[in-house]
Amino acid sequence: MIKHILKLIWNKRGSNALMILEILLSFVVLFVILAFVFFNMEREKLPLGFDYEDKWRVSLDELYQQDSVVIVEAMTNLQREFRDMEEVKSVTFTKFMTPFINSVWQTSSDEHGFEIDVQVVMVDLDFMKTMGIQINDGRWFDEQDLSSEQDPVLVNQRFMDKYFPDKSMLDSTLMISGEHKLIGVLEDYRYMGEFSEPWAMMFVLEPFHENHHFAMLDMKDGTPATTEQEIVALANRYTNQTSCTVEYLEKERVDNNRDQWMMIYALMAICIFLCLNVALGLFGVLWYNISRRKSEVGLRQAMGAHGGDISRQFIAEMLILAGFALVIGLFFALQIPILNITEYDDSLFYKAAAYASVIILVLVFVCALLPSLQAARIRPATTLRED
Amino acid sequence: MLQLSNISKIYRTKTIETTALHQINLDIKQGEFLSIMGPSGCGKSTLLNIMGLLDEPSQGHLLVDGQQINNYSSKSTSRFRNEKIGFIFQSFHLIPDLKVIDNVELPLLYRSISGKERRRLASEALDSVGLANRKAHFPSQLSGGQKQRVAIARAIVGRPKIILADEPTGNLDSVMGDEVMDILINLNKESGATIVMVTHDERMAKKTDRLVRLYDGAQVA
């Protein structure tokens, strides 16, 4: 029977080509959207590596315009004042590489052909405690590191996995824009948010640096919003400015992710709309085909086909057409992981292709089911007389 | 071969009741060539459909090859129809998207027969109607007479005991009609198949063994 159906499909290849094209295009759009969604979902599942709850960021934007001595003095005073506040658990000063700000400090080195690309984050001694950073191996900076001869650094786990997999490099010297002594490995610090690209990172100790623009505060749970005024007043006083602001990392995270979630929801909506469109299209075409082929259905029944044979035939025709479209679609889609066209994980594309194929097949089956069952109920005596 | 006892067919709508057949009694012997005549709308095709198990009678009993048919839409009835009955229609009912050989193979698709065997039987059937050289043609490439010969080949390919022909010469000119009629007569004589033919053509009807006339759904002769 399959051979017979293939003959029918081949002999009607003109009209079937359009159907195959429609299913193929639907597969391509589904594949691309699902790959995008899975890609983002995979990223979203990766650990951020820091806490954002009860974390406040105080911007000290105009401080860097002042003399370095004044800056250090202002930061020292601010650190003391913030620490004295009952609601503040800890405080740290950083540059622009703070959570949910899309700012990058990147450096690279090439030592005898061994290339390393890293994002650099300048931190002080309290950064780990304030931001809730997890150390996987080694230790965080301590007081002795401030006077260490070799610049101590920490890296994230991704750095180790990328450049020194399955090796412990603790206490080794890393040649990245100078010599650095590796003292620890932290889990991660994906400060640009859940959907950001994971990077190899290096953490350099630079307390009270003149380019530090932000104070990060770890607040006690349930701190009232009125404390914000107190903090702004302190910051303005010690930095001699009037533009200090406080932002909540929890809210920043939501704002930062909103665009990406909107994009995902919009694409998912397109996906659903597309599926509905394809479903209605297939349903209509099949319904029309069956009404056009009523006499054929009657004839087949007269020749000995049972209702089940009729519905199976129409469903099989549609599934075979969908199969053709999927074979073509999969051929092109799977070139992406096979030829390593992108740097992304191959499994992403296999997964998207598999899901898109299953969705298309289920869609086609469901759309074919009702008209096919309807065809099975056609009375041969009526249709054979009609023609 | 075919026994119809008090067969009646009544079409009912909400407001109207139409009697298409009334108390038909027929006993058709094996190997008989019977023709049914009557004016349009007298119930000839309805009777043929009931004999072919394509339609259910409202009343009465039907015995086909000694077997009483109860459930007309069951799988076993479909199989029974496939094995016992071949159909020929006035408008040929060939599937336009299939080649001649594939059209002839159609009844065999619903049997457990290998593709090779199907092809052999279909070729033989086409040979027997003189269309061996038209196997790879599509129906649209054939004349009316050739189409009807393909339909005859399709009706006989499964070697059924009964062939039901609904005005097989109705759409053909007299020459082609005679050709088709000759094929049916030969088929009846050579294979011993029982043939029931509905026709409007008195000349064709006279060539058959027996003539049954219907008028307003009732048997008049």
Side-chain angles (χ1 to χ4, degrees), chain A residues 1 4 7-8 11-12 295-296 299-306 309 313 379-381 384-385 387, chain B residues 11 49 54-55 73-75 78 81-82 87 89 91 93 95 97-98 102 106-107 109-110 119 138 154:
Chain A
M1 184 50 100
H4 176 75
K7 275 181 198 169
L8 271 175
N11 292 336
K12 285 190 285 186
S295 68
E296 180 192 328
L299 176 76
R300 287 179 186 275
Q301 287 177 323
M303 299 291 120
H306 183 247
D309 296 323
Q313 181 199 324
R379 294 173 63 85
L384 290 170
R385 198 185 301 152
D387 205 28
Chain B
Y11 292 104
N49 284 336
L54 298 176
D55 209 352
S73 58
S74 74
K75 217 169 188 173
S78 297
R81 182 165 54 228
N82 175 264
F87 290 90
F89 305 97
S91 52
H93 282 302
I95 298 176
D97 300 313
L98 288 177
D102 298 318
L106 203 60
L109 280 175
Y110 304 104
R119 188 119 303 216
F138 282 96
R154 182 182 61 194

Side-chain angles (χ1 to χ4, degrees), chain A residues 116-231:
Chain A
I116 292 181
D117 281 313
V118 287
Q119 285 184 7
V120 182
V121 182
M122 284 139 188
V123 295
D124 64 13
L125 295 175
D126 293 320
F127 183 82
M128 183 192 85
K129 185 181 163 196
T130 307
M131 298 307 297
I133 301 288
Q134 296 293 316
I135 302 291
N136 283 359
D137 199 9
R139 61 175 178 84
W140 184 251
F141 300 109
D142 60 21
E143 293 286 348
Q144 289 174 340
D145 293 323
L146 292 169
S147 54
S148 171
E149 283 181 15
Q150 211 174 8
D151 282 346
V153 292
L154 280 94
V155 295
N156 64 350
Q157 190 62 50
R158 189 164 303 279
F159 178 100
M160 293 304 294
D161 294 342
K162 187 174 179 185
Y163 297 115
F164 304 104
D166 305 321
K167 283 182 191 162
S168 174
M169 297 293 287
L170 284 183
D171 298 326
S172 303
T173 300
L174 299 177
M175 300 297 291
I176 305 168
S177 304
E179 287 189 6
H180 303 279
K181 183 184 173 188
L182 183 66
I183 62 165
V185 178
L186 54 84
E187 188 184 36
D188 215 340
Y189 178 58
R190 297 175 62 224
Y191 64 93
M192 285 192 275
E194 279 94 339
F195 296 109
S196 63
E197 185 180 351
W199 265 86
M201 301 181 103
M202 182 169 77
F203 297 79
V204 179
L205 183 60
E206 283 192 358
F208 298 158
H209 192 275
E210 59 193 43
N211 285 329
H212 282 183
H213 292 231
F214 298 101
M216 305 294 303
L217 305 178
D218 182 16
M219 308 300 291
K220 283 184 180 164
D221 187 21
T223 301
T226 49
T227 310
E228 183 183 331
Q229 286 178 333
E230 206 178 324
I231 286 168

Side-chain angles (χ1 to χ4, degrees), chain A residues 20-136:
Chain A
I20 290 173
L21 187 66
E22 185 187 356
I23 297 172
L24 173 64
L25 289 176
S26 309
F27 170 81
V28 170
V29 175
L30 267 178
F31 170 73
V32 171
I33 291 177
L34 286 175
F36 177 82
V37 171
F38 289 147
F39 172 74
N40 281 286
M41 292 296 103
E42 289 293 319
R43 276 199 177 170
E44 203 260 347
K45 274 193 279 179
L46 294 173
L48 275 178
F50 65 92
D51 295 335
Y52 49 81
E53 287 171 351
D54 300 318
K55 303 285 186 286
W56 291 12
R57 178 172 54 218
V58 185
S59 66
L60 313 167
D61 288 347
E62 292 172 19
L63 189 61
Y64 73 95
Q65 293 171 353
Q66 300 186 33
D67 183 78
S68 59
V69 176
V70 175
I71 292 171
V72 170
E73 189 188 342
M75 284 186 181
T76 310
N77 289 333
L78 268 177
Q79 187 186 48
R80 190 189 63 249
E81 290 285 350
F82 285 147
R83 277 176 176 170
D84 285 347
M85 289 179 73
E86 196 183 328
E87 296 88 350
V88 176
K89 290 200 281 189
S90 67
V91 57
T92 184
F93 290 89
T94 71
K95 282 187 67 163
F96 282 113
M97 287 72 73
T98 74
F100 315 121
I101 289 184
N102 293 328
S103 178
V104 177
W105 187 310
Q106 201 171 331
T107 187
S108 61
S109 72
D110 186 346
E111 288 291 326
H112 309 295
F114 186 67
E115 285 183 37
I116 292 181
D117 281 313
V118 287
Q119 285 184 7
V120 182
V121 182
M122 284 139 188
V123 295
D124 64 13
L125 295 175
D126 293 320
F127 183 82
M128 183 192 85
K129 185 181 163 196
T130 307
M131 298 307 297
I133 301 288
Q134 296 293 316
I135 302 291
N136 283 359

Side-chain angles (χ1 to χ4, degrees), chain A residues 18 63 67 112 197 227 240 311 319 333 339 348 351 357 371 384:
Chain A
L18 289 173
L63 189 61
D67 183 78
H112 309 295
E197 185 180 351
T227 310
N240 292 320
S311 52
L319 287 177
L339 300 177
L348 182 77
K351 193 174 161 189
S357 303
L384 290 170

